[in-house]
Amino acid sequence: MNMLLLRNALVYAPEPLGLQHLLLGGGRILWMGAELADLPAALSVQTIDLEGRRLLPGFIDAHVHVTGGGGEAGFRTRVPPQGVSRFTRAGITTVVGLLGTDDVARGPQDLLATVYALREEGLSALAFTGGYHVPPRTLTGTVRGDLVFIEALIGIGEVAISDHRSSQPTLDELLRLAADAHVAGLMTGKAGLLHLHLGDGSRGLELVRQALAQSELPPRVFHPTHVNRRKALFDEALALAAQGCTIDLTAFPVEDGEDAWSAADALLRYLDSGAPAGRLTISSDAGGCLPVFDAEGHVCRMGVGESGALLETLNDVLRRGVPLERALPAFTSNPARLLRLAAKGRIRVGADADLLALDADGAAHDVMAGGVVHVRAGRVEHRGTFEHAP
């Protein structure tokens, strides 16, 4: 068991714990304390002095197109997959992969294989079964079977609603999916979520409101994402958070004058709204295509979601005066709780050694995934099998 000692870390767990030393081994945090005793030389412990840098839990990105997204404007617009260092150099140590618009040319087998590949490269990786469309594509024949029998699959998503690219699911179809997710979660202890893509359609979250009003399903099952893409949609999402749903912001670029909130703006508005602090998560949509459509539904331009958007969002809100311990849960402990990942999202003894140390400018100075150093002093130390050095 290789052991790593982190000295002089200013720990945010996410609550501030002051200057601490941490001993990592076997992928876990073995010990943490303010006073450091001499360790036996026979342990051959590697030491990194963080010199007072802020140490955070590694980010949990619950919406990532690990196989690549896109495809709305032809096969040439399919986004390629990302290597492991694209995540780790952005401070992300856990990802949840999913399929989007293209759940035909890209399928669940490819998604699951990519998740396993990321695990072999040292990242924590999980996935949602299905994709935009109903009925969803599965591996076992049913979504409940996928969640019960395939360990890496933890929910259903991203099922599209209020979007011209969706299969226009009915309330009954949505309820059946949510019920399957919920029951499978009960059977397995997994998250059991229905992760919902929100388009910019005028119906907004109406289907979710109807589902909550007309069923016995707990609100936590419904996890709508992209809720900051329209300002009115964000207001709808705030009301759902008050009812018990966890809502997800997307860290996509927002232009001046656009009818949308940036993730940083939306996070500030959420924190100031009085909504429950634990019911907000932020994801990157990394690897996903960010298309803009004309009035006839044709793609007129597109971008690609970037993993680095999470760290950019955090630094943006910190520059606006939000305390780190207030902003950090949306990137760490909140998604860990929602995804039922008990060993992640917090810095404490026994937790997974997924850690991010920031430099003075807020960039990733050191990143450890499962106690293994992936980024050291701002330099990528571990790359994926087919990644090339710059």
Side-chain angles (χ1 to χ4, degrees):
M1 181 174 66
N2 295 324
M3 302 180 76
L4 176 64
L5 177 66
L6 302 180
R7 297 172 56 94
N8 302 310
L10 189 61
V11 172
Y12 287 82
E15 65 275 6
L17 298 182
L19 204 65
Q20 302 281 330
H21 312 288
L22 297 89
L23 183 64
L24 316 181
R28 298 294 180 102
I29 300 172
L30 302 178
W31 172 86
M32 178 168 62
E35 300 295 331
L36 181 61
D38 291 334
L39 296 172
L43 290 178
S44 299
V45 177
Q46 178 188 355
T47 300
I48 295 177
D49 192 343
L50 293 179
E51 300 176 330
R53 293 184 181 88
R54 294 164 291 175
L55 186 69
L56 326 176
F59 289 167
I60 300 170
D61 195 344
H63 186 113
V64 180
H65 293 272
V66 294
T67 61
E72 289 96 335
F75 293 121
R76 65 184 174 80
T77 64
R78 298 200 311 157
V79 181
Q82 299 186 88
V84 65
S85 72
R86 294 286 292 274
F87 302 113
T88 53
R89 71 187 186 193
I92 296 167
T93 54
T94 301
V95 297
V96 182
L98 41 69
L99 299 175
T101 309
D102 180 6
D103 48 15
V104 177
R106 286 188 165 112
Q109 293 91 344
D110 186 24
L111 176 62
L112 190 60
T114 305
V115 163
Y116 289 154
L118 288 171
R119 288 182 176 189
E120 290 175 4
E121 299 286 8
L123 204 69
S124 294
L126 302 157
F128 294 120
T129 190
Y132 261 33
H133 302 111
V134 178
R137 292 194 64 186
T138 65
L139 287 160
T140 65
T142 67
V143 289
R144 199 178 341 163
D146 279 8
L147 300 186
V148 169
F149 292 116
I150 302 175
E151 173 270 333
L153 302 179
I154 61 170
I156 304 169
E158 60 174 312
V159 176
I161 60 174
S162 299
D163 194 305
H164 65 94
R165 295 166 291 174
S166 80
S167 52
Q168 311 305 317
T170 65
L171 175 60
D172 285 346
E173 288 173 325
L174 196 75
L175 284 172
R176 288 191 183 97
L177 289 176
D180 279 342
H182 175 55
V183 172
L186 294 176
M187 293 175 65
T188 60
K190 295 179 180 179
L193 299 177
L194 180 59
H195 185 65
L196 294 168
H197 162 100
L198 266 295
D200 56 8
S202 61
R203 288 179 293 171
L205 286 158
E206 177 60 29
L207 267 180
V208 180
R209 288 193 294 271
Q210 291 179 19
L212 292 175
Q214 298 182 34
S215 77
E216 299 76 28
L217 291 166
R220 74 164 300 279
V221 173
F222 300 93
H223 187 222
T225 189
H226 313 322
V227 298
N228 51 315
R229 72 183 311 147
R230 289 192 301 113
K231 294 177 179 179
L233 179 63
F234 177 72
D235 292 338
E236 292 183 58
L238 280 179
L240 280 186
Q243 288 183 256
C245 293
T246 297
I247 63 174
D248 187 56
L249 306 177
T250 304
F252 45 49
V254 174
E255 298 178 2
D256 290 341
E258 187 177 349
D259 179 26
W261 295 119
S262 71
D265 285 334
L267 175 57
L268 289 171
R269 288 177 173 273
Y270 188 93
L271 294 175
D272 290 342
S273 72
R279 293 186 189 146
L280 181 73
T281 59
I282 301 177
S283 60
S284 71
D285 208 359
C289 180
L290 305 177
V292 177
F293 297 94
D294 63 20
E296 296 184 353
H298 299 130
V299 174
C300 51
R301 66 180 187 276
M302 64 175 62
V304 177
E306 294 286 346
S307 298
L310 292 186
L311 196 49
E312 290 174 8
T313 298
L314 178 63
N315 284 313
D316 191 352
V317 297
L318 295 183
R319 285 191 293 269
R320 303 191 204 186
V322 177
L324 178 55
E325 63 270 23
R326 192 164 183 236
L328 191 54
F331 303 84
T332 56
S333 56
N334 288 357
R337 185 184 308 111
L338 179 70
L339 298 174
R340 291 178 172 163
L341 304 177
K344 296 191 180 295
R346 301 192 63 83
I347 298 179
R348 61 187 173 198
V349 173
D352 288 349
D354 296 339
L355 301 165
L356 161 64
L358 301 179
D359 66 18
D361 296 322
H365 191 271
D366 300 279
V367 179
M368 284 129 289
V372 175
V373 176
H374 280 248
V375 178
R376 175 72 186 109
R379 179 183 174 83
V380 174
E381 295 288 326
H382 175 78
R383 296 183 184 275
T385 303
F386 296 103
E387 290 187 88
H388 301 288

